């Protein structure tokens, strides 16, 4: 069959229709799913098409103009695999940090945060004792119960060693010191933050004590920044430390946890071991307990006098209520006390420390704290950085020993009283005395003025005593009970008390205080010292009676009766805060220097005979 001949125009139309039809066929061929599916089977990537289609999340995101995380799974299969890995995976157990003998572990712990766990392995429990040796003389005055001091109770040590051999148990000492504590959320938190909780277990089935309630672990609290526990075991020791939530505070604790097989790494004694002697407006004077019952004539007493003032002192404002949460912790005191005195690693000029025998002739440490605020209330805490060859990690008792705090206060800024101490002649004077502003900052001038004047009066007494047959036969002596040495001691103590009287601010209250306005006890104070108004703590009446009792009658000493209350005071009912003054007397310290007599009345008027004339009214 012969096709008709087309014109040029018709030929172009047919060609255009043929091309359009071809494009239409191709469009439908690639847009139908079955054709697309067949085409992909011949592609480079071969997949198992017997499974359901996989949704390509990345392609969907591109189509929808979305962004996806680079680390997110790109396909549903990836999500399934990730989810599969999470299903059945057990949570990681809490970390348990291991402790070594006498080496503290230190961590921060947040209020309300997870419990922290520690262990002391059996290998450490059965390890060798430390080779550290004490550097201070052993003393039974530094602890309540000193039975475990070397040489103090051999029988106790032998029994303890026998008991250990029989049951293989070993004693360990666990201590916790709080070094930092959370900050208050208010200006008046009404007390320190809730204390850290310490849980202890020896059970290998309870390696995380405190993690679950009622797990049978031993629970205690780090009160005032310190916790101590000791027992015997043959097993690993497990410890949990927890900081309970306290809405009054925010932040975290920092603490040191230590276990020792020697002695407590950090120690706290529940008595003060410190006595406040007196204060003026910007300083306080303190002294420790007697450190031994041996006086300085013994080698033991001399060893203490040569020990180099080993005690530290910490002072802090009583109004800082939150601070009470640290007052039993050496590291807490070292970091946060307002005054840190006589601490080895700190250079502090606010404290002067010396060894002294004032108050009975027994060794003790005297501490002068300076740069205090006037009219303020403080806590004072005595501490011992270490009694061994060195302090700090790895050493026995390297965390220090702290004793209980004592309160004290300073006098007002305009007080006419100033502390005197360490005088050459009246060495028992360790209290505030009448003064005036011209002596402020000029301690040496005030001290020498008082001391030189009193010593000059004493020379007159010695001239008169030389007339008394002191070194003679018993039948010729003035007394078989006392000697001229007793008379000399009694007179010196009385003379220092009446010529260097104890002073407190005029605003002080107390019926036993004697007001002094332009009329002091002696003309010397009126004319030379020239103090402003003050109140005097009168000398104790026992000083006057001791003078009469110990000296020859020929010297004519008697005591006042009709105006005795204006010249002498009595101890009163409070023996730790007496209502009269005795130089060298440290109230509350056994063996403190004073004259003791079995008398109840006083009589007469003090008369200094045989050429002794002391001006003024006593």
């Amino acid at each position: 069959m012969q096709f008709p001949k087309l014109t040029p125009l018709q030929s172009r139309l047919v060609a255009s229709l043929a091309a359009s039809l071809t494009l239409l066929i191709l469009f439908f061929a690639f847009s139908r799913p079955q054709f697309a599916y067949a085409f992909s089977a011949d592609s480079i990537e071969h997949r198992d098409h017997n499974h359901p289609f996989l949704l390509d999340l990345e392609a969907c995101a591109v189509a929808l103009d979305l962004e996806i995380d680079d680390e997110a799974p790109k396909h549903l299969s990836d999500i399934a695999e990730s989810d599969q890995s999470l299903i059945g995976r057990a949570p990681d157990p809490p970390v348990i940090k291991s402790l070594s003998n006498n080496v503290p572990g230190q961590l921060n712990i947040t209020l309300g945060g997870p419990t922290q766990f520690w262990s002391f392995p059996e290998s450490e429990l059965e390890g060798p004792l430390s080779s550290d040796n004490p550097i201070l003389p052993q003393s039974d005055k530094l602890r309540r119960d000193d039975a475990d001091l070397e040489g103090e109770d051999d029988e106790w040590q032998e029994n303890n060693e026998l008991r250990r051999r029989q049951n293989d148990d070993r004693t360990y000492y666990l201590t916790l010191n709080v070094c930092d504590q959370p900050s208050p959320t208010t200006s008046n938190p009404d007390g320190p933050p809730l204390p850290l909780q310490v849980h202890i277990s020896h059970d290998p089935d309870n390696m995380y004590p405190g993690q679950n309630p009622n797990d049978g672990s031993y629970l205690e609290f780090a009160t005032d920044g310190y916790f101590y526990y000791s027992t015997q075991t043959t097993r690993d020791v497990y410890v949990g430390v927890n900081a309970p939530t306290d809405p009054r505070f925010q932040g975290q604790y920092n603490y040191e946890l230590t276990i020792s097989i020697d002695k407590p790494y950090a120690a706290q004694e529940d008595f003060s071991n410190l006595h406040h002697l007196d204060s003026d407006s910007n300083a306080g004077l303190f002294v420790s307990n007697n450190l031994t019952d041996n006086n300085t004539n013994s080698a033991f007493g001399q060893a203490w006098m040569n020990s180099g003032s080993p005690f530290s002192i910490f002072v802090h404002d009583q109004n800082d209520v939150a601070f009470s949460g640290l007052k039993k912790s050496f590291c807490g005191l070292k970091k946060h006390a307002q005054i840190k005195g006589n601490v080895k690693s700190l250079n502090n000029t606010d404290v002067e420390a010396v060894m002294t025998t004032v108050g009975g002739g027994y060794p003790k440490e005297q501490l002068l704290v300076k740069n205090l605020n006037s009219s303020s209330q403080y806590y004072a805490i005595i501490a011992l950085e270490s009694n061994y060859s060195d302090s700090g990690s790895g050493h026995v008792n390297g965390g220090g020993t702290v004793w209980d705090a004592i309160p004290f206060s300073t006098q007002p800024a305009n007080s006419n009283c100033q502390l005197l101490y360490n005088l050459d002649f009246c060495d028992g004077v360790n209290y505030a005395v009448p003064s005036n502003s011209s002596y402020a900052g000029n301690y040496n001038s005030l001290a020498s003025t008082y001391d030189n004047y009193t010593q000059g009066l004493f020379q007159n007494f010695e001239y008169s005593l030389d007339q008394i047959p002191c070194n003679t036969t018993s039948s010729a002596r003035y007394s078989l009970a006392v000697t001229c040495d007793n008379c000399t001691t009694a007179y010196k103590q009385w003379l220092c008390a009446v010529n260097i009287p104890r002073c407190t601010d005029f605003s002080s209250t107390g019926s036993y205080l004697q007001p002094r306005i332009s009329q002091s006890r002696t003309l010397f104070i009126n004319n030379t010292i020239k103090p402003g108004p003050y109140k005097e703590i009168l000398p104790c009446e026992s000083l006057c009676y001791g003078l009469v009792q110990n000296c020859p009658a020929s010297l004519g000493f008697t005591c006042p009766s009709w105006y005795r209350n204006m010249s002498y005071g009595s101890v009163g009912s409070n023996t730790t805060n007496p209502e009269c003054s005795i130089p060298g007397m440290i109230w509350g310290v056994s063996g403190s220097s004073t004259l003791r007599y079995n008398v109840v009345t006083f009589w007469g008027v003090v008369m200094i005979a045989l050429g002794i004339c002391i001006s003024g009214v006593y």
Side-chain angles (χ1 to χ4, degrees):
M1 176 178 179
Q2 185 177 6
F3 290 93
K5 187 175 179 180
L6 300 175
T7 65
L9 179 61
Q10 291 174 329
S11 300
R12 288 196 295 272
L13 178 61
V14 170
S16 177
L17 290 173
S20 298
L21 182 62
T22 302
L23 289 173
L24 184 62
I25 294 171
L26 290 173
F27 172 78
F28 281 106
F30 286 104
S31 63
R32 295 292 301 272
Q34 58 267 34
F35 290 116
Y37 182 58
F39 177 78
S40 67
D42 296 330
S43 65
I44 298 175
E45 181 179 357
H46 298 283
R47 297 183 181 179
D48 185 356
H49 301 289
N50 293 319
H51 290 77
F53 293 114
L54 300 177
L55 179 62
D56 191 329
L57 297 182
E58 188 172 21
C60 292
V62 172
L64 297 174
D65 193 22
L66 300 176
E67 294 183 0
I68 61 174
D69 192 337
D70 290 340
E71 296 182 359
K74 301 301 187 295
H75 300 86
L76 287 178
S77 59
D78 297 331
I79 298 175
E81 290 174 4
S82 174
D83 193 51
Q84 182 75 16
S85 67
L86 294 175
I87 298 174
R89 177 190 291 177
D92 293 333
V95 175
I96 300 178
K97 293 184 175 295
S98 182
L99 294 169
S100 300
N101 187 39
N102 291 314
V103 178
Q106 190 165 16
L107 280 179
N108 295 325
I109 185 168
T110 303
L111 288 175
T115 302
Q116 296 176 346
F117 299 102
W118 304 83
S119 71
F120 190 70
E122 181 183 353
S123 58
E124 289 289 332
L125 191 69
E126 297 299 328
L129 296 174
S130 172
S131 60
D132 285 352
N133 294 314
I135 57 176
L136 294 175
Q138 294 296 305
S139 173
D140 58 358
K141 302 296 182 183
L142 300 181
R143 299 185 60 187
R144 281 285 191 213
D145 180 9
D146 233 359
D148 61 344
L149 286 177
E150 183 179 355
E152 289 294 314
D153 195 338
D154 293 337
E155 182 179 356
W156 181 90
Q157 292 191 38
E158 291 173 2
N159 291 339
N160 186 56
E161 182 63 25
L162 177 61
R163 185 167 57 251
R164 184 189 161 202
R165 287 197 302 266
Q166 290 173 341
N167 59 21
D168 293 329
D169 283 357
R170 187 154 196 180
T171 301
Y172 71 86
Y173 308 89
L174 184 153
T175 58
L176 184 146
N177 265 3
V178 175
C179 304
D180 288 309
Q181 63 181 7
S183 303
T185 56
T186 65
S187 58
N188 185 17
D190 189 28
L194 294 176
L196 291 178
Q197 299 175 352
V198 185
H199 306 259
I200 303 171
S201 169
H202 299 154
D203 186 352
D205 293 331
N206 184 19
M207 299 169 60
Y208 306 101
Q211 186 178 40
N212 300 311
N214 305 317
D215 61 5
S217 60
Y218 177 80
L219 169 63
E220 264 296 350
F221 303 91
T223 306
D224 295 333
Y226 177 78
F227 168 71
Y228 166 73
Y229 177 78
S230 178
T231 190
Q232 293 181 328
T233 188
T234 58
R235 298 180 174 183
D236 292 354
V237 181
Y238 303 102
V239 184
V241 179
N242 174 259
T245 300
D246 189 337
R248 302 170 303 152
F249 291 83
Q250 62 183 0
Q252 59 190 12
Y253 279 98
N254 178 268
Y255 66 92
E256 288 182 348
L257 180 70
T258 317
I259 295 181
S260 172
I261 59 174
D262 301 283
K263 285 180 180 292
Y265 178 79
Q268 198 280 327
E269 299 295 341
D270 60 350
F271 64 103
S272 64
N273 192 31
L274 187 68
H275 303 270
H276 174 231
L277 300 180
D278 207 355
S279 296
D280 57 22
S281 60
N282 60 9
L285 190 63
F286 302 86
V287 71
S288 72
N289 281 340
N290 292 333
L291 299 175
T292 176
D293 286 334
N294 296 273
N295 60 33
T296 54
N297 294 327
S298 69
F300 201 67
Q302 278 298 319
W304 270 110
M305 293 301 294
N306 296 330
S307 62
S309 304
F311 292 96
S312 306
I313 189 170
F314 300 98
V315 177
H316 199 88
D317 188 351
Q318 286 186 40
N319 294 324
D320 185 359
V321 180
F323 177 76
S324 62
L326 298 171
K327 64 185 180 182
K328 293 185 177 180
S329 165
F330 189 92
C331 68
L333 293 169
K334 187 175 178 179
K335 292 185 68 174
H336 296 285
Q338 292 171 333
I339 291 181
K340 318 167 186 66
N342 209 32
V343 180
K344 294 178 184 177
S345 57
L346 301 177
N347 183 19
N348 189 292
T349 59
D350 293 331
V351 174
E352 296 178 5
V354 295
M355 297 300 295
T356 183
T357 58
V358 171
Y362 301 109
K364 56 184 69 68
E365 185 169 332
Q366 176 184 286
L367 299 123
L368 174 70
V369 180
K370 301 177 291 184
N371 298 324
L372 300 174
N373 295 325
S374 59
S375 300
S376 298
Q377 291 74 44
Y378 290 95
Y379 284 120
I381 302 169
I382 195 171
L384 184 64
E385 197 157 4
S386 180
N387 184 27
Y388 287 80
S389 55
D390 206 348
S391 60
S393 177
H395 297 282
V396 177
N397 192 220
T401 301
V402 176
W403 283 263
D404 280 354
I406 63 170
F408 75 99
S409 60
T410 54
Q411 298 192 33
N414 59 352
S415 174
N416 293 304
C417 304
Q418 186 172 338
L419 275 174
L420 276 193
Y421 50 92
N422 297 346
L423 300 184
D424 292 332
F425 177 71
C426 289
D427 53 356
V429 171
N430 46 24
Y431 46 76
V433 302
S435 181
N436 67 58
S437 58
S438 66
Y439 290 105
N442 194 0
Y443 169 83
N444 291 335
S445 176
L446 182 66
S448 61
T449 300
Y450 270 113
D451 209 33
N452 293 341
Y453 172 74
T454 308
Q455 188 172 15
L457 297 177
F458 185 76
Q459 290 178 348
N460 293 331
F461 164 78
E462 290 184 309
Y463 297 150
S464 297
L465 193 62
D466 287 342
Q467 310 303 316
I468 304 298
C470 294
N471 300 317
T472 184
T473 62
S474 58
S475 59
R477 287 166 49 186
Y478 71 90
S479 172
L480 296 178
V482 294
T483 67
C484 289
D485 290 339
N486 299 117
C487 177
T488 299
T489 299
Y491 183 79
K492 178 182 176 181
Q493 195 172 35
W494 170 84
L495 185 68
C496 291
V498 298
N499 284 282
I500 312 180
R502 185 168 181 173
C503 169
T504 189
D505 187 68
F506 194 78
S507 63
S508 300
T509 59
S511 58
Y512 62 92
L513 298 174
Q514 182 66 42
R516 302 292 189 187
I517 304 177
S518 303
Q519 184 62 45
S520 296
R521 171 176 285 272
T522 69
L523 294 176
F524 161 74
I525 296 175
N526 291 338
N527 299 331
T528 303
I529 304 300
K530 301 177 182 179
Y534 67 95
K535 288 184 180 179
E536 181 186 342
I537 302 175
L538 298 172
C540 291
E541 55 190 7
S542 59
L543 291 174
C544 184
Y545 188 80
L547 186 62
V548 174
Q549 185 77 11
N550 283 274
C551 292
S554 58
L555 293 181
F557 293 129
T558 58
C559 294
S561 57
W562 59 274
Y563 62 93
R564 187 188 69 192
N565 291 340
M566 297 179 62
S567 298
Y568 296 97
S570 58
V571 172
S573 59
N574 188 351
T575 57
T576 60
N577 187 23
E579 299 176 356
C580 63
S581 174
I582 297 177
M585 179 66 181
I586 301 173
W587 304 94
V589 176
S590 61
S592 185
S593 177
T594 185
L595 300 171
R596 306 175 186 275
Y597 306 100
N598 297 318
V599 298
V600 292
T601 60
F602 294 85
W603 25 254
V605 178
V606 176
M607 300 294 292
I608 310 297
L610 299 177
I612 304 176
C613 181
I614 309 263
S615 61
V617 177
Y618 295 94

